[in-house]
Short mmCIF file of all heavy atoms in Angstrom, two decimals:
data_model
loop_
_atom_site.label_atom_id
_atom_site.label_comp_id
_atom_site.label_asym_id
_atom_site.label_seq_id
_atom_site.Cartn_x
_atom_site.Cartn_y
_atom_site.Cartn_z
N ARG H 34 -47.29 0.65 86.76
CA ARG H 34 -48.67 0.18 86.72
C ARG H 34 -49.31 0.12 88.11
O ARG H 34 -50.50 0.40 88.26
CB ARG H 34 -48.73 -1.20 86.07
CG ARG H 34 -50.11 -1.73 85.78
CD ARG H 34 -50.05 -3.04 85.03
NE ARG H 34 -49.41 -2.90 83.73
CZ ARG H 34 -49.24 -3.90 82.88
NH1 ARG H 34 -49.65 -5.12 83.20
NH2 ARG H 34 -48.66 -3.70 81.72
N ARG H 35 -48.54 -0.28 89.11
CA ARG H 35 -49.08 -0.45 90.46
C ARG H 35 -48.23 0.29 91.49
O ARG H 35 -47.57 -0.32 92.33
CB ARG H 35 -49.15 -1.94 90.82
CG ARG H 35 -50.15 -2.76 90.02
CD ARG H 35 -51.58 -2.25 90.19
NE ARG H 35 -51.98 -2.17 91.58
CZ ARG H 35 -52.56 -3.16 92.25
NH1 ARG H 35 -52.80 -4.31 91.64
NH2 ARG H 35 -52.92 -3.02 93.50
N PRO H 36 -48.23 1.62 91.45
CA PRO H 36 -47.44 2.37 92.43
C PRO H 36 -47.96 2.22 93.85
O PRO H 36 -47.27 2.56 94.81
CB PRO H 36 -47.58 3.83 91.94
CG PRO H 36 -48.86 3.85 91.17
CD PRO H 36 -48.95 2.50 90.51
N ASP H 37 -49.19 1.68 93.99
CA ASP H 37 -49.77 1.49 95.31
C ASP H 37 -49.27 0.23 96.00
O ASP H 37 -49.55 0.01 97.19
CB ASP H 37 -51.30 1.42 95.20
CG ASP H 37 -51.74 0.29 94.27
OD1 ASP H 37 -51.17 0.17 93.16
OD2 ASP H 37 -52.66 -0.46 94.65
N VAL H 38 -48.53 -0.62 95.26
CA VAL H 38 -48.02 -1.87 95.82
C VAL H 38 -46.50 -1.81 95.91
O VAL H 38 -45.81 -1.60 94.90
CB VAL H 38 -48.44 -3.08 94.95
CG1 VAL H 38 -47.86 -4.37 95.52
CG2 VAL H 38 -49.95 -3.17 94.87
N ASP H 39 -45.98 -1.98 97.08
CA ASP H 39 -44.54 -1.94 97.30
C ASP H 39 -43.91 -3.23 96.76
O ASP H 39 -44.22 -4.32 97.22
CB ASP H 39 -44.24 -1.80 98.80
CG ASP H 39 -42.76 -1.61 99.07
OD1 ASP H 39 -42.03 -1.21 98.15
OD2 ASP H 39 -42.33 -1.88 100.21
N LEU H 40 -43.04 -3.11 95.75
CA LEU H 40 -42.36 -4.28 95.19
C LEU H 40 -40.98 -4.42 95.84
O LEU H 40 -40.12 -3.57 95.69
CB LEU H 40 -42.20 -4.13 93.68
CG LEU H 40 -41.65 -5.36 92.95
CD1 LEU H 40 -42.58 -6.55 93.10
CD2 LEU H 40 -41.45 -5.06 91.47
N VAL H 41 -40.82 -5.51 96.60
CA VAL H 41 -39.57 -5.76 97.33
C VAL H 41 -38.73 -6.76 96.55
O VAL H 41 -39.22 -7.83 96.18
CB VAL H 41 -39.88 -6.31 98.74
CG1 VAL H 41 -38.59 -6.56 99.51
CG2 VAL H 41 -40.78 -5.34 99.50
N LEU H 42 -37.47 -6.44 96.29
CA LEU H 42 -36.57 -7.32 95.56
C LEU H 42 -35.60 -8.00 96.52
O LEU H 42 -34.99 -7.35 97.37
CB LEU H 42 -35.80 -6.53 94.51
CG LEU H 42 -36.65 -5.85 93.43
CD1 LEU H 42 -35.77 -5.05 92.48
CD2 LEU H 42 -37.47 -6.88 92.67
N LEU H 43 -35.46 -9.32 96.35
CA LEU H 43 -34.64 -10.11 97.27
C LEU H 43 -33.63 -10.95 96.49
O LEU H 43 -34.00 -11.98 95.90
CB LEU H 43 -35.54 -11.05 98.10
CG LEU H 43 -36.67 -10.41 98.89
CD1 LEU H 43 -37.59 -11.50 99.44
CD2 LEU H 43 -36.12 -9.56 100.02
N PRO H 44 -32.36 -10.56 96.43
CA PRO H 44 -31.35 -11.41 95.80
C PRO H 44 -31.12 -12.66 96.64
O PRO H 44 -30.98 -12.58 97.87
CB PRO H 44 -30.10 -10.53 95.76
CG PRO H 44 -30.31 -9.50 96.82
CD PRO H 44 -31.79 -9.29 96.93
N VAL H 45 -31.10 -13.84 96.00
CA VAL H 45 -30.88 -15.10 96.71
C VAL H 45 -29.85 -15.93 95.95
O VAL H 45 -29.61 -15.71 94.77
CB VAL H 45 -32.19 -15.91 96.85
CG1 VAL H 45 -33.21 -15.14 97.67
CG2 VAL H 45 -32.77 -16.28 95.49
N GLU H 46 -29.27 -16.88 96.64
CA GLU H 46 -28.31 -17.78 96.00
C GLU H 46 -29.04 -18.79 95.10
O GLU H 46 -30.24 -19.02 95.26
CB GLU H 46 -27.48 -18.51 97.05
CG GLU H 46 -26.59 -17.60 97.88
CD GLU H 46 -25.58 -16.84 97.01
OE1 GLU H 46 -25.07 -17.43 96.05
OE2 GLU H 46 -25.35 -15.66 97.30
N ALA H 47 -28.30 -19.39 94.19
CA ALA H 47 -28.91 -20.31 93.23
C ALA H 47 -29.60 -21.48 93.91
O ALA H 47 -30.61 -21.99 93.43
CB ALA H 47 -27.85 -20.81 92.25
N ASP H 48 -29.06 -21.92 95.04
CA ASP H 48 -29.65 -23.06 95.74
C ASP H 48 -30.61 -22.63 96.85
O ASP H 48 -31.02 -23.43 97.68
CB ASP H 48 -28.55 -23.94 96.33
CG ASP H 48 -27.65 -23.19 97.31
OD1 ASP H 48 -27.82 -21.96 97.47
OD2 ASP H 48 -26.78 -23.83 97.93
N GLY H 49 -30.99 -21.35 96.84
CA GLY H 49 -31.85 -20.84 97.92
C GLY H 49 -33.28 -20.58 97.51
O GLY H 49 -34.00 -19.86 98.19
N VAL H 50 -33.72 -21.18 96.38
CA VAL H 50 -35.06 -20.91 95.86
C VAL H 50 -36.14 -21.38 96.83
O VAL H 50 -37.05 -20.62 97.20
CB VAL H 50 -35.25 -21.58 94.49
CG1 VAL H 50 -36.70 -21.40 94.01
CG2 VAL H 50 -34.29 -20.97 93.47
N THR H 51 -36.07 -22.62 97.26
CA THR H 51 -37.09 -23.15 98.16
C THR H 51 -37.10 -22.40 99.49
O THR H 51 -38.16 -22.06 100.03
CB THR H 51 -36.86 -24.65 98.41
OG1 THR H 51 -37.02 -25.36 97.18
CG2 THR H 51 -37.84 -25.19 99.44
N ALA H 52 -35.92 -22.11 100.02
CA ALA H 52 -35.84 -21.37 101.28
C ALA H 52 -36.45 -19.98 101.13
O ALA H 52 -37.12 -19.48 102.05
CB ALA H 52 -34.39 -21.27 101.74
N ALA H 53 -36.23 -19.35 99.98
CA ALA H 53 -36.80 -18.02 99.75
C ALA H 53 -38.32 -18.07 99.72
O ALA H 53 -39.00 -17.21 100.29
CB ALA H 53 -36.26 -17.44 98.45
N LEU H 54 -38.88 -19.09 99.04
CA LEU H 54 -40.34 -19.21 98.95
C LEU H 54 -40.96 -19.58 100.29
O LEU H 54 -42.09 -19.20 100.60
CB LEU H 54 -40.71 -20.25 97.90
CG LEU H 54 -40.44 -19.84 96.44
CD1 LEU H 54 -40.70 -21.01 95.51
CD2 LEU H 54 -41.29 -18.64 96.05
N GLU H 55 -40.22 -20.33 101.10
CA GLU H 55 -40.72 -20.66 102.43
C GLU H 55 -40.56 -19.48 103.40
O GLU H 55 -41.12 -19.48 104.48
CB GLU H 55 -39.97 -21.88 102.97
CG GLU H 55 -40.32 -23.17 102.23
CD GLU H 55 -39.50 -24.35 102.69
OE1 GLU H 55 -38.51 -24.12 103.44
OE2 GLU H 55 -39.81 -25.48 102.30
N GLY H 56 -39.76 -18.50 102.98
CA GLY H 56 -39.54 -17.32 103.81
C GLY H 56 -40.33 -16.13 103.32
O GLY H 56 -41.57 -16.15 103.31
N ASP H 57 -39.64 -15.07 102.87
CA ASP H 57 -40.30 -13.82 102.56
C ASP H 57 -40.72 -13.66 101.10
O ASP H 57 -41.48 -12.74 100.78
CB ASP H 57 -39.37 -12.65 102.91
CG ASP H 57 -39.13 -12.54 104.40
OD1 ASP H 57 -40.03 -12.94 105.16
OD2 ASP H 57 -38.05 -12.08 104.81
N ALA H 58 -40.22 -14.50 100.20
CA ALA H 58 -40.48 -14.30 98.77
C ALA H 58 -41.82 -14.87 98.34
O ALA H 58 -42.18 -15.99 98.69
CB ALA H 58 -39.36 -14.91 97.95
N ASP H 59 -42.58 -14.10 97.54
CA ASP H 59 -43.81 -14.59 96.93
C ASP H 59 -43.50 -15.37 95.65
O ASP H 59 -44.17 -16.34 95.34
CB ASP H 59 -44.73 -13.42 96.59
CG ASP H 59 -45.21 -12.68 97.82
OD1 ASP H 59 -45.91 -13.30 98.64
OD2 ASP H 59 -44.88 -11.48 97.98
N MET H 60 -42.50 -14.90 94.91
CA MET H 60 -42.12 -15.52 93.65
C MET H 60 -40.61 -15.40 93.49
O MET H 60 -39.98 -14.52 94.10
CB MET H 60 -42.83 -14.86 92.46
CG MET H 60 -44.32 -14.68 92.65
SD MET H 60 -45.16 -13.94 91.22
CE MET H 60 -45.46 -15.41 90.24
N VAL H 61 -40.03 -16.27 92.65
CA VAL H 61 -38.58 -16.25 92.44
C VAL H 61 -38.27 -16.43 90.96
O VAL H 61 -38.84 -17.31 90.30
CB VAL H 61 -37.86 -17.37 93.23
CG1 VAL H 61 -36.35 -17.28 93.03
CG2 VAL H 61 -38.20 -17.29 94.71
N PHE H 62 -37.35 -15.61 90.43
CA PHE H 62 -36.76 -15.87 89.13
C PHE H 62 -35.59 -16.82 89.36
O PHE H 62 -34.61 -16.45 90.01
CB PHE H 62 -36.26 -14.57 88.49
CG PHE H 62 -37.35 -13.69 87.95
CD1 PHE H 62 -37.83 -12.62 88.69
CD2 PHE H 62 -37.91 -13.95 86.71
CE1 PHE H 62 -38.83 -11.80 88.19
CE2 PHE H 62 -38.93 -13.14 86.20
CZ PHE H 62 -39.39 -12.07 86.95
N ALA H 63 -35.72 -18.05 88.87
CA ALA H 63 -34.73 -19.09 89.16
C ALA H 63 -34.36 -19.85 87.90
O ALA H 63 -35.04 -19.75 86.87
CB ALA H 63 -35.28 -20.06 90.21
N ARG H 64 -33.29 -20.62 88.01
CA ARG H 64 -32.90 -21.49 86.90
C ARG H 64 -33.49 -22.88 87.13
O ARG H 64 -33.50 -23.38 88.24
CB ARG H 64 -31.37 -21.57 86.77
CG ARG H 64 -30.75 -20.28 86.30
CD ARG H 64 -29.24 -20.39 86.10
NE ARG H 64 -28.72 -19.13 85.58
CZ ARG H 64 -28.37 -18.10 86.35
NH1 ARG H 64 -28.45 -18.21 87.67
NH2 ARG H 64 -27.93 -16.98 85.82
N MET H 65 -33.96 -23.47 86.05
CA MET H 65 -34.49 -24.83 86.14
C MET H 65 -33.33 -25.82 86.11
O MET H 65 -32.27 -25.52 85.58
CB MET H 65 -35.45 -25.06 84.97
CG MET H 65 -36.66 -24.12 85.00
SD MET H 65 -37.89 -24.46 83.72
CE MET H 65 -38.65 -25.92 84.45
N PRO H 66 -33.56 -27.01 86.72
CA PRO H 66 -34.83 -27.49 87.27
C PRO H 66 -35.11 -26.92 88.66
O PRO H 66 -34.19 -26.54 89.37
CB PRO H 66 -34.62 -29.00 87.32
CG PRO H 66 -33.15 -29.16 87.55
CD PRO H 66 -32.50 -28.04 86.77
N VAL H 67 -36.39 -26.89 88.99
CA VAL H 67 -36.83 -26.46 90.33
C VAL H 67 -37.64 -27.61 90.92
O VAL H 67 -38.09 -28.49 90.19
CB VAL H 67 -37.67 -25.18 90.25
CG1 VAL H 67 -36.85 -24.01 89.73
CG2 VAL H 67 -38.91 -25.38 89.38
N PRO H 68 -37.82 -27.64 92.24
CA PRO H 68 -38.60 -28.72 92.86
C PRO H 68 -39.97 -28.87 92.22
O PRO H 68 -40.64 -27.88 91.90
CB PRO H 68 -38.71 -28.27 94.32
CG PRO H 68 -37.48 -27.45 94.55
CD PRO H 68 -37.26 -26.71 93.26
N GLU H 69 -40.41 -30.12 92.03
CA GLU H 69 -41.65 -30.41 91.33
C GLU H 69 -42.89 -29.84 92.01
O GLU H 69 -43.90 -29.60 91.36
CB GLU H 69 -41.81 -31.92 91.16
CG GLU H 69 -40.80 -32.54 90.21
CD GLU H 69 -41.04 -34.02 90.01
OE1 GLU H 69 -41.98 -34.56 90.64
OE2 GLU H 69 -40.28 -34.65 89.24
N GLN H 70 -42.81 -29.62 93.31
CA GLN H 70 -44.00 -29.12 94.01
C GLN H 70 -44.26 -27.64 93.73
O GLN H 70 -45.31 -27.12 94.10
CB GLN H 70 -43.88 -29.34 95.53
CG GLN H 70 -42.82 -28.51 96.24
CD GLN H 70 -41.49 -29.25 96.34
OE1 GLN H 70 -41.20 -30.11 95.51
NE2 GLN H 70 -40.70 -28.92 97.36
N HIS H 71 -43.32 -26.96 93.10
CA HIS H 71 -43.49 -25.55 92.79
C HIS H 71 -44.06 -25.38 91.38
O HIS H 71 -43.84 -26.22 90.49
CB HIS H 71 -42.16 -24.80 92.86
CG HIS H 71 -41.52 -24.84 94.21
ND1 HIS H 71 -42.23 -24.99 95.38
CD2 HIS H 71 -40.21 -24.76 94.58
CE1 HIS H 71 -41.40 -24.99 96.42
NE2 HIS H 71 -40.17 -24.85 95.95
N HIS H 72 -44.78 -24.29 91.18
CA HIS H 72 -45.22 -23.91 89.84
C HIS H 72 -44.08 -23.16 89.16
O HIS H 72 -43.40 -22.35 89.80
CB HIS H 72 -46.45 -23.00 89.91
CG HIS H 72 -47.65 -23.66 90.51
ND1 HIS H 72 -48.39 -24.61 89.84
CD2 HIS H 72 -48.24 -23.51 91.71
CE1 HIS H 72 -49.38 -25.01 90.61
NE2 HIS H 72 -49.31 -24.36 91.75
N ALA H 73 -43.90 -23.38 87.86
CA ALA H 73 -42.82 -22.70 87.14
C ALA H 73 -43.28 -22.37 85.73
O ALA H 73 -43.83 -23.22 85.02
CB ALA H 73 -41.56 -23.57 87.10
N ILE H 74 -43.06 -21.13 85.31
CA ILE H 74 -43.30 -20.72 83.94
C ILE H 74 -41.94 -20.46 83.29
O ILE H 74 -41.28 -19.46 83.61
CB ILE H 74 -44.15 -19.44 83.86
CG1 ILE H 74 -45.52 -19.66 84.50
CG2 ILE H 74 -44.30 -18.99 82.42
CD1 ILE H 74 -46.38 -18.42 84.50
N PRO H 75 -41.48 -21.33 82.38
CA PRO H 75 -40.19 -21.08 81.70
C PRO H 75 -40.28 -19.80 80.87
O PRO H 75 -41.27 -19.55 80.18
CB PRO H 75 -40.03 -22.32 80.80
CG PRO H 75 -40.90 -23.36 81.42
CD PRO H 75 -42.08 -22.61 81.99
N LEU H 76 -39.24 -18.98 80.94
CA LEU H 76 -39.26 -17.68 80.28
C LEU H 76 -38.28 -17.58 79.12
O LEU H 76 -38.65 -17.20 78.02
CB LEU H 76 -38.97 -16.58 81.31
CG LEU H 76 -39.97 -16.49 82.47
CD1 LEU H 76 -39.51 -15.45 83.48
CD2 LEU H 76 -41.36 -16.17 81.94
#
Side-chain angles (χ1 to χ4, degrees):
R34 188 175 298 180
R35 293 300 306 270
D37 58 313
V38 178
D39 186 21
L40 187 62
V41 180
L42 299 178
L43 305 170
V45 298
E46 295 300 322
D48 59 356
V50 175
T51 296
L54 290 174
E55 291 175 349
D57 294 331
D59 295 297
M60 312 182 86
V61 182
F62 285 98
R64 291 183 177 86
M65 298 185 76
V67 296
E69 292 183 359
Q70 68 268 26
H71 299 333
H72 296 286
I74 299 178
L76 300 175

